[in-house]
C-alpha cells in the first residue's frame, strides 16, 4: 500500500437530524457498510438530536469512476434518512435545515479539492433529481465559492422556531429568494433541504459552559469567532445542551492557525471575566492524520 500521505483518499462528513432512534441510526450506517465504505467515526448527540458519520474511500486515480462506492454509499445513506425521518416530528437544541442537514467532502492524502468538488456536484444533481430535495452547494463546489455560513444565515438556520429555543418541526422557510442549485424550488416539510460542499479540512469542537444563560453564551461565542474579532479562521455559535449547561460549538477552518486547545483557552479567558465555569473542549471528529490512520487499519483488518 502507498504511504498514507501519498494515497488518494476522499472523506465525507454526513450530518443527520436524528440521534434518539437507534434503529434509524443503525439502518443508515448499515447501507454505508453494504457499499464497502469505511465509517471511521460516528458521533451521536441525543440532546442535539444530531448524528454525524465520517466516511473514507480510496481511489487509484483522480477519476470520479474510482469513487463510485463512496457516491453510492452517500446517496443510499441520504435516501435511507429521508425515507425514515420526518422533519415535522424533529425536536432538538441544535440548528438544522433538513433531515440530511449537511454533507461535506474533504480531500485527504494526495487527493485534490477539485475532485472533492466534482463529487459534490455529481451527488447533488442525483439527490436533487431522485429524492426531490432542494440542494445548496457551497465552498469549492459552488461556482462563486459561496460559504456555508451565508446560506445558513439567509435561510434562518440560526433562529430557533419555538419559545423553548428548540428547533421543532418543519422549517416554515420560504426559499424562493435563495434559489437552490439542484432539486425543486419548494421544500417538502417532511424533508427540509440539504447543504453540500467541498473544502479543505474543517475541524469541529465544542466547549461546555456551565450556565443556562444562552444569550451570555451566544455573546461568548461571538467574541471568540473571527467575525466577532476573535480567533482567526474560527466560526462559533452558542447552543443549549444539557440541563443548566450550554456549549460554544465551533468550526475550525484552518487547523494550521487555530486548534481546539486555543479555542479552550480563549473561551476560558472570556468566561473568567464573567465568573462562569468552563468544561473541557472536545472534538466531534478525529483529526485528518487520525482519520487516514484509522482508514488504513480498517482496510488492513478486512
Amino acid at each position: 500500500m502507498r504511504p498514507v500521505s501519498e494515497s488518494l483518499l476522499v472523506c465525507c462528513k454526513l450530518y443527520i437530524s436524528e440521534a434518539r432512534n437507534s434503529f434509524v441510526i443503525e439502518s443508515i450506517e448499515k447501507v454505508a457498510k453494504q457499499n464497502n465504505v469505511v465509517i471511521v467515526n460516528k458521533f451521536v448527540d441525543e440532546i442535539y438530536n444530531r448524528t454525524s458519520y465520517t466516511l473514507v474511500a480510496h481511489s487509484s486515480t483522480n477519476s470520479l469512476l474510482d469513487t463510485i462506492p463512496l457516491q453510492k454509499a452517500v446517496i443510499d445513506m441520504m435516501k435511507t434518512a429521508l425515507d425514515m425521518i420526518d422533519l415535522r416530528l424533529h425536536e432538538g437544541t441544535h440548528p438544522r435545515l433538513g433531515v440530511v442537514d449537511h454533507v461535506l467532502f474533504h480531500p485527504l492524502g494526495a487527493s485534490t479539492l477539485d475532485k472533492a468538488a466534482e463529487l459534490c456536484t455529481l451527488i447533488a444533481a442525483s439527490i436533487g433529481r431522485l429524492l426531490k430535495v432542494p440542494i445548496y452547494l457551497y465552498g469549492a463546489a459552488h461556482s462563486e465559492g459561496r460559504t456555508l455560513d451565508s446560506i445558513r444565515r439567509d435561510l434562518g438556520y440560526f433562529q430557533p422556531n419555538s419559545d423553548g429555543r428548540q428547533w421543532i418541526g418543519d422549517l416554515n422557510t420560504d426559499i424562493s429568494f435563495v434559489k437552490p442549485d439542484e432539486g425543486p424550488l419548494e421544500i417538502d416539510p417532511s424533508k427540509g433541504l440539504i447543504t453540500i460542499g467541498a473544502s479543505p479540512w474543517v475541524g469541529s469542537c465544542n466547549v461546555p459552559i456551565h450556565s443556562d444563560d444562552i444569550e451570555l453564551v451566544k455573546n461568548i461565542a461571538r467574541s471568540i469567532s473571527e467575525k466577532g474579532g476573535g480567533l482567526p479562521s474560527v466560526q462559533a455559535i452558542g447552543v443549549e445542551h444539557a440541563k443548566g449547561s450550554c456549549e460554544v460549538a465551533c468550526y475550525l477552518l484552518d487547523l494550521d492557525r487555530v486548534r481546539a486547545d486555543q479555542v479552550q483557552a480563549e473561551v476560558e479567558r472570556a468566561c473568567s471575566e464573567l465568573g462562569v465555569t468552563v468544561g473541557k473542549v472536545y472534538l466531534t471528529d478525529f483529526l485528518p492524520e487520525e482519520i487516514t490512520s484509522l482508514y488504513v487499519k480498517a482496510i488492513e483488518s478486512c
Side-chain angles (χ1 to χ4, degrees), residues 102-104 136-142 145-148 151 195-198:
H102 180 204
V103 185
L104 175 57
Y136 291 85
L137 296 171
Y138 75 91
H142 188 263
R146 178 172 57 188
T147 65
L148 175 61
I151 298 170
T195 57
I196 301 181

Side-chain angles (χ1 to χ4, degrees), residues 12-297:
C12 176
K13 295 180 181 179
L14 184 67
Y15 295 83
I16 305 294
S17 297
E18 178 58 67
R20 300 168 186 171
N21 187 324
S22 59
F23 178 71
V24 171
I25 298 306
E26 290 166 5
S27 297
I28 295 169
E29 184 175 352
K30 183 178 179 180
V31 297
K33 293 179 178 179
Q34 288 173 344
N35 287 286
N36 296 318
V37 170
V38 176
I39 298 177
V40 297
N41 188 51
K42 179 175 72 173
F43 187 84
V44 182
D45 192 312
E46 292 188 5
I47 297 172
Y48 284 156
N49 204 6
R50 185 176 177 88
T51 299
S52 64
Y53 302 88
T54 304
L55 297 79
V56 177
H58 175 268
S59 61
S60 57
T61 71
N62 266 313
S63 168
L64 285 179
L65 291 175
D66 286 328
T67 64
I68 286 176
L70 180 60
Q71 293 176 43
K72 191 171 187 308
V74 172
I75 291 171
D76 286 352
M77 291 175 78
M78 294 167 81
K79 183 180 186 304
T80 301
L82 290 163
D83 285 345
M84 298 186 73
I85 302 168
D86 189 333
L87 192 65
R88 294 169 297 186
L89 306 178
H90 179 275
E91 178 180 340
T93 64
H94 196 286
R96 81 289 185 274
L97 289 172
V99 165
V100 181
D101 185 59
H102 180 204
V103 185
L104 175 57
F105 287 89
H106 299 297
L108 288 177
S111 192
T112 67
L113 185 56
D114 285 345
K115 181 174 182 177
E118 286 184 80
L119 197 52
C120 277
T121 56
L122 190 64
I123 288 175
S126 296
I127 291 296
R129 182 179 67 256
L130 297 174
L131 303 182
K132 310 301 182 187
V133 182
I135 306 290
Y136 291 85
L137 296 171
Y138 75 91
H142 188 263
S143 59
E144 298 176 1
R146 178 172 57 188
T147 65
L148 175 61
D149 182 67
S150 68
I151 298 170
R152 286 175 164 176
R153 289 191 183 281
D154 287 343
L155 295 172
Y157 176 86
F158 301 104
Q159 301 299 320
N161 61 358
S162 80
D163 293 337
R165 296 192 291 272
Q166 298 270 315
W167 280 259
I168 296 176
D170 64 82
L171 297 175
N172 295 318
T173 295
D174 177 11
I175 64 171
S176 61
F177 66 99
V178 189
K179 184 180 178 182
D181 298 287
E182 299 287 351
L185 300 179
E186 294 182 351
I187 292 177
D188 178 336
S190 70
K191 297 178 179 180
L193 56 90
I194 305 174
T195 57
I196 301 181
S199 78
W201 191 264
V202 175
S204 300
C205 70
N206 296 341
V207 185
I209 296 180
H210 304 306
S211 170
D212 60 3
D213 187 342
I214 186 61
E215 294 307 319
L216 178 145
V217 175
K218 284 181 177 180
N219 287 336
I220 292 170
R222 193 175 299 114
S223 73
I224 72 161
S225 69
E226 181 175 46
K227 189 172 183 178
L231 295 169
S233 72
V234 172
Q235 295 177 344
I237 60 172
V239 189
E240 284 191 308
H241 198 242
K243 185 176 181 180
S245 179
C246 297
E247 290 189 337
V248 172
C250 301
Y251 281 147
L252 311 180
L253 304 184
D254 187 345
L255 293 177
D256 290 332
R257 300 180 71 186
V258 176
R259 290 212 171 196
D261 58 340
Q262 294 166 271
V263 172
Q264 172 86 29
E266 192 63 16
V267 172
E268 287 180 351
R269 181 199 62 75
C271 286
S272 66
E273 297 174 357
L274 298 167
V276 179
T277 57
V278 180
K280 179 65 176 176
V281 66
Y282 64 94
L283 297 171
T284 61
D285 203 351
F286 296 106
L287 296 173
E289 55 269 24
E290 296 171 320
I291 292 284
T292 50
S293 177
L294 287 167
Y295 173 76
V296 170
K297 287 180 181 178

